[in-house]
């Protein structure tokens, strides 16, 4: 079975995480996909498969005879999706021989536009997979799951010699909490790769340092007719806080290694307002400076409006795994070799986000990230190509062969 054919099945199983739930998994829907994957691994002849109470699927594939002492390598992908744009049934749409131009997404009124996604002309002639425009597609990260499953099938069908292999499908990556419950000892790998990137051939081991920042503003609400020198409008103070941040350092205006402040939400009334941000930077010192800027804004606001008006809470989320992976750069060199062997130009580039591999690397399992042939994640414009997924699958198979040498 082709990887994209698996993707078409998996995406129809909605698995949004629940940002408001602290349990793992945060949503019971993730178990539905986990059970499908558990059964499918068993059907593929993998005997050692485990589905845990926390919705992790682990599989261990013994080495080919004579290769038992080779590096134990793992492949990981996550089952959850973002919760946005999940209200409707997910209906994947296939456009064969895509012309590389603007593409209406069903009857949703949304259009996949070249001006927004300049890589689209490079996909001309491929089989393009999108949603109907009313939902996400779920390429992130069901494409990675599909490619790992197809790799397992190919190893068996093509009788490919390999060392000991480990497979894991995880919950709640999008929340950033799933990896906290990952059982590294049980997984029992020396190294691993997450398949959670974009374009096929991507090889990533430099990610953002990340934190969440929340400003809470306690205002003074009185009748506007008698508000002079008394009212402190909490919503206006929240807006003032945002205006103190550099306007050119947002996701829209940054790329590659450039960090940003990203306002997720701002809501409230005259009496109380709350604004939520995520802060990202690849450089550790710049990241620390960004957090210092937020604390300075808190200080200035309280000096201006009165002590206790503004409260800032900063929660660290994950760190740049570069310092871990650079100690085992054979992972990157092997991935580059695998890409070249299957006719892909390797693209070593930073992750403008994070993966399960970030936390796993700091927990003792170095875990760079590979591209899966998808684009436009976290919204109704998600898309992938059958050919890109085939290449990503080919690359994982080539990696297995390299580690077996």
């Amino acid at each position: 079975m082709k990887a994209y054919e698996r993707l078409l099945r998996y995406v129809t199983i909605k698995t949004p995480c629940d940002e408001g739930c602290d349990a793992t998994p945060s949503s019971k829907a993730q178990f539905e996909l986990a059970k499908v994957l558990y059964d499918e691994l068993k059907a593929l002849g993998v005997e050692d498969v485990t589905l845990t109470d926390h919705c992790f699927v682990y599989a261990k594939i013994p080495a080919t005879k004579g290769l038992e002492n080779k590096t134990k390598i793992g492949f990981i992908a996550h089952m959850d999706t973002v919760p946005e744009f999940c209200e409707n049934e997910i209906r994947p749409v296939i456009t064969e021989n895509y012309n590389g131009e603007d593409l209406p997404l069903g009857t949703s009124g949304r259009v996949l536009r070249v001006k927004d996604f300049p890589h689209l002309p490079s996909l001309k002639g491929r089989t393009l997979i999108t949603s109907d425009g009313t939902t996400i597609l779920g390429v992130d990260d069901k494409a990675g799951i599909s490619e790992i499953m197809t790799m397992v099938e190919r190893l068996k069908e093509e009788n490919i010699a390999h060392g000991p292999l480990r497979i894991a499908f995880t919950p709640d990556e999008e929340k950033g909490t799933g990896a906290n419950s990952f059982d590294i000892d049980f997984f029992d790998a020396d190294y691993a790769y997450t398949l959670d990137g974009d374009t096929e051939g991507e090889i990533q081991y430099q990610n953002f340092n990340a934190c969440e920042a929340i400003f809470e503003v306690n205002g003074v609400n009185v009748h506007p007719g008698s508000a002079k020198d008394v009212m402190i409008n909490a919503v206006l103070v929240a807006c003032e806080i945002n205006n103190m941040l550099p306007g050119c350092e947002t996701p829209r205006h940054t790329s590659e290694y450039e960090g940003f402040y990203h306002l997720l939400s701002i809501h409230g009334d005259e009496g109380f307002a709350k604004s939520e941000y995520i802060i990202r930077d690849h450089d550790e010192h710049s990241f620390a400076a960004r957090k210092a800027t937020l604390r300075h804004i808190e200080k200035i606001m309280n000096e201006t409006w009165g002590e206790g008006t503004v409260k800032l809470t900063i929660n660290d989320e994950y760190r740049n795994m570069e310092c871990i992976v650079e100690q085992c750069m054979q992972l990157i060199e092997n991935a580059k070799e695998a890409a070249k062997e299957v006719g892909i130009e390797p693209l070593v580039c930073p992750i403008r986000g994070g993966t399960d591999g970030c936390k796993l690397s700091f927990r003792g399992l170095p875990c760079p990230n590979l591209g899966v042939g998808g684009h436009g994640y976290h919204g109704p414009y998600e898309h992938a190509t059958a050919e890109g997924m085939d290449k990503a699958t080919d690359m994982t198979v080539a990696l297995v062969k390299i580690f077996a040498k």
Side-chain angles (χ1 to χ4, degrees), residues 12-25:
T12 60
I13 305 171
K14 294 198 293 184
T15 55
C17 64
D18 183 351
E19 296 282 1
C21 177
D22 293 330
T24 302

Side-chain angles (χ1 to χ4, degrees), residues 57-78:
V57 179
Y58 298 109
K60 299 178 182 180
I61 303 176
T64 303
K65 187 176 181 179
L67 299 178
E68 293 88 352
N69 293 325
K70 295 296 183 180
T71 301
K72 288 182 284 189
I73 195 71
F75 295 93
I76 301 170
H78 66 88

Side-chain angles (χ1 to χ4, degrees), residues 50-65:
T50 302
L51 172 56
T52 74
D53 292 341
H54 289 299
C55 200
F56 287 82
V57 179
Y58 298 109
K60 299 178 182 180
I61 303 176
T64 303
K65 187 176 181 179

Side-chain angles (χ1 to χ4, degrees), residues 35-212:
K35 291 172 183 175
V36 168
L37 297 174
Y38 175 91
D39 290 341
E40 189 170 340
L41 283 165
K42 285 286 192 179
L44 288 173
V46 182
E47 296 181 1
D48 192 350
V49 187
T50 302
L51 172 56
T52 74
D53 292 341
H54 289 299
C55 200
F56 287 82
V57 179
Y58 298 109
K60 299 178 182 180
I61 303 176
T64 303
K65 187 176 181 179
L67 299 178
E68 293 88 352
N69 293 325
K70 295 296 183 180
T71 301
K72 288 182 284 189
I73 195 71
F75 295 93
I76 301 170
H78 66 88
M79 296 178 287
D80 65 311
T81 68
V82 292
E84 293 81 10
F85 294 98
C86 284
E87 294 80 9
N88 300 320
E89 180 182 349
I90 296 175
R91 302 181 181 89
V93 176
I94 298 175
T95 302
E96 296 182 351
N97 195 25
Y98 169 58
N99 63 11
E101 300 174 359
D102 291 356
L103 178 70
L105 298 177
T107 58
S108 67
R110 293 189 171 95
V111 178
L112 191 63
R113 299 187 188 279
V114 173
K115 75 176 183 65
D116 297 323
F117 301 97
H119 68 275
L120 286 172
S122 71
L123 306 181
K124 183 177 180 180
R126 293 189 176 192
T127 300
L128 187 68
I129 307 166
T130 66
S131 75
D132 65 0
T134 64
T135 66
I136 60 169
L137 178 58
V139 176
D140 180 14
D141 186 26
K142 291 168 184 173
I145 294 172
S146 302
E147 289 155 10
I148 292 171
M149 295 295 287
T150 305
M151 175 197 74
V152 172
E153 183 178 51
R154 283 184 54 185
L155 294 178
K156 179 181 178 182
E157 289 186 348
E158 299 173 24
N159 197 26
I160 296 172
H162 57 81
L165 300 177
R166 305 292 185 255
I167 306 298
F169 301 125
T170 65
D172 290 332
E173 188 273 349
E174 298 295 356
K175 280 192 65 185
T177 58
N180 297 337
S181 301
F182 192 101
D183 193 333
I184 289 179
D185 292 336
F186 182 77
F187 189 56
D188 188 31
D190 297 317
Y191 307 104
Y193 294 91
T194 50
L195 272 71
D196 193 16
D198 296 348
T199 305
E200 63 275 12
E202 276 187 349
I203 304 166
Q204 302 170 312
Y205 66 98
Q206 303 159 304
N207 61 278
F208 278 138
N209 295 289
C211 72
E212 170 193 62

